[in-house]
């Protein structure tokens, strides 16, 4: 089946001193979504940004704000990220004991709900929520940092989840996050992904290269 491939550059690899300009630059360079990596220094060993920064970036682009919450507990922050202008709110399956309720809350806030799986988490953990969500985010690195190497074992997880999504017959995005570049992108797409997160691979060469980098990934 020919699925359009969407590119969601992760601003974790952008120049944090010029985030607004960088968001405008990747928007103009033709990205489909903006991937915002939120880290709390507790669920992952790094701290990045909170809802105030999503709110500050919101007026700089009309593109989908694809917000990846690597935080725990996640429920107390859902309303703030929804009000800040997130379009997709993705939570980690591992972040707490009440994933089904968390997904209900995201949808009650009028946002698209995503669930992310860390590399060691099996696809079966989605069995009782897949029909409730709009997106699955497969981590192909251990979350916390950009520029890491792609974890090969995740390819078979992507294939398994693609099969489950197609069996369900619902338009659920399958997004892959971490170590996605010109070399790994074709394999991730062949395994069944339709949305590629790319931090380093988008921002690596500076603003003059963003459009080519994005085009290269989409056409991989
Ligand atoms: C890692 C983040 C990823 C990361 C991807 O915890 O969730 O989105 O920024 O960066 P690259 O594309 O450089 O691996
Ligand atoms: Zn991410």
């Amino acid at each position: 089946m020919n699925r359009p491939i969407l590119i969601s550059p992760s601003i974790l690899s952008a120049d944090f001193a010029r985030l607004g300009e960088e968001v405008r630059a990747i928007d103009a360079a033709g990205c489909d979504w903006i991937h915002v990596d939120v880290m709390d220094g507790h669920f992952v060993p790094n701290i990045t940004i909170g809802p105030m920064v999503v709110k500050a970036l919101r007026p700089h682009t009309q593109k989908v704000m694809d917000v990846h919450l690597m935080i725990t507990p996640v429920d107390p922050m859902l309303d703030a990220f929804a009000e800040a202008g997130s379009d997709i709110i993705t939570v980690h399956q591992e972040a707490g004991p009440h994933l089904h309720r968390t997904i209900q809350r995201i949808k009650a806030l009028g946002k698209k709900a995503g669930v992310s799986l860390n590399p060691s988490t099996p696809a079966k953990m989605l069995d009782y929520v897949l029909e409730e969500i709009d997106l699955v985010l497969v981590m192909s690195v251990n979350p916390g940092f950009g520029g890491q190497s792609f974890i090969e074992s995740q390819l078979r997880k992507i294939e398994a989840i693609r099969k489950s999504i197609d069996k369900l017959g619902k338009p659920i995005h399958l997004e892959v996050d971490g170590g996605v570049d010109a070399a790994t992108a074709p394999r991730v797409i062949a395994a069944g992904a339709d949305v590629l997160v790319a931090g380093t691979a988008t921002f690596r060469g500076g603003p003059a290269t963003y459009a080519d980098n994005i085009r290269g990934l989409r056409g991989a």
Side-chain angles (χ1 to χ4, degrees):
M1 173 200 299
N2 247 348
R3 279 177 289 272
I5 300 300
L6 305 179
I7 305 301
S8 187
S10 161
I11 60 171
L12 185 66
S13 301
D15 177 350
F16 263 47
R18 299 182 306 108
L19 272 185
E21 287 167 57
E22 292 274 65
V23 164
R24 286 199 303 276
I26 53 174
D27 183 333
C31 74
D32 297 288
W33 298 356
I34 312 268
H35 188 78
V36 180
D37 283 314
V38 177
M39 301 181 189
D40 65 358
H42 176 62
F43 183 71
V44 291
N46 197 356
I47 297 177
T48 56
I49 61 171
M52 284 173 62
V53 177
V54 172
K55 188 180 170 84
L57 295 174
R58 182 68 275 180
H60 293 273
T61 180
Q62 298 304 313
K63 298 278 171 79
V64 166
M65 281 283 209
D66 169 33
V67 177
H68 177 191
L69 297 181
M70 289 163 274
I71 66 174
T72 182
V74 66
D75 294 343
M77 294 307 297
L78 295 177
D79 289 50
F81 279 100
E83 281 147 35
S86 309
D87 295 298
I88 301 170
I89 297 179
T90 296
V91 301
H92 267 262
Q93 182 278 328
E94 309 87 359
H98 301 296
L99 178 60
H100 190 279
R101 182 189 292 143
T102 299
I103 292 164
Q104 286 179 319
R105 179 66 190 151
I106 295 170
K107 289 162 71 172
L109 288 164
K111 303 303 177 181
K112 297 235 182 278
V115 172
S116 185
L117 302 179
N118 283 331
S120 64
T121 303
K124 62 193 291 295
M125 296 310 281
L126 295 168
D127 283 1
Y128 293 93
V129 292
L130 191 61
E131 65 223 79
E132 311 287 340
I133 58 180
D134 304 287
L135 176 140
V136 176
L137 177 62
V138 174
M139 294 308 299
S140 34
V141 294
N142 286 299
F145 302 92
Q148 300 179 88
S149 303
F150 183 84
I151 299 172
E152 297 283 326
S153 64
Q154 303 308 296
L155 285 168
R156 62 179 187 272
K157 189 191 292 183
I158 296 163
E159 287 168 1
I161 295 170
R162 171 48 63 195
K163 278 201 191 80
S164 306
I165 290 173
D166 289 351
K167 196 161 149 246
L168 201 55
K170 266 193 68 182
I172 300 168
H173 286 295
L174 179 41
E175 186 175 30
V176 178
D177 188 0
V180 175
D181 59 20
T184 54
R187 302 167 67 205
V188 161
I189 293 168
D194 66 297
V195 187
L196 309 183
V197 175
T200 309
T202 301
F203 289 97
R204 142 175 44 226
T209 67
Y210 293 171
D212 285 345
N213 293 342
I214 290 168
R215 243 194 315 276
L217 287 164
R218 192 180 284 123

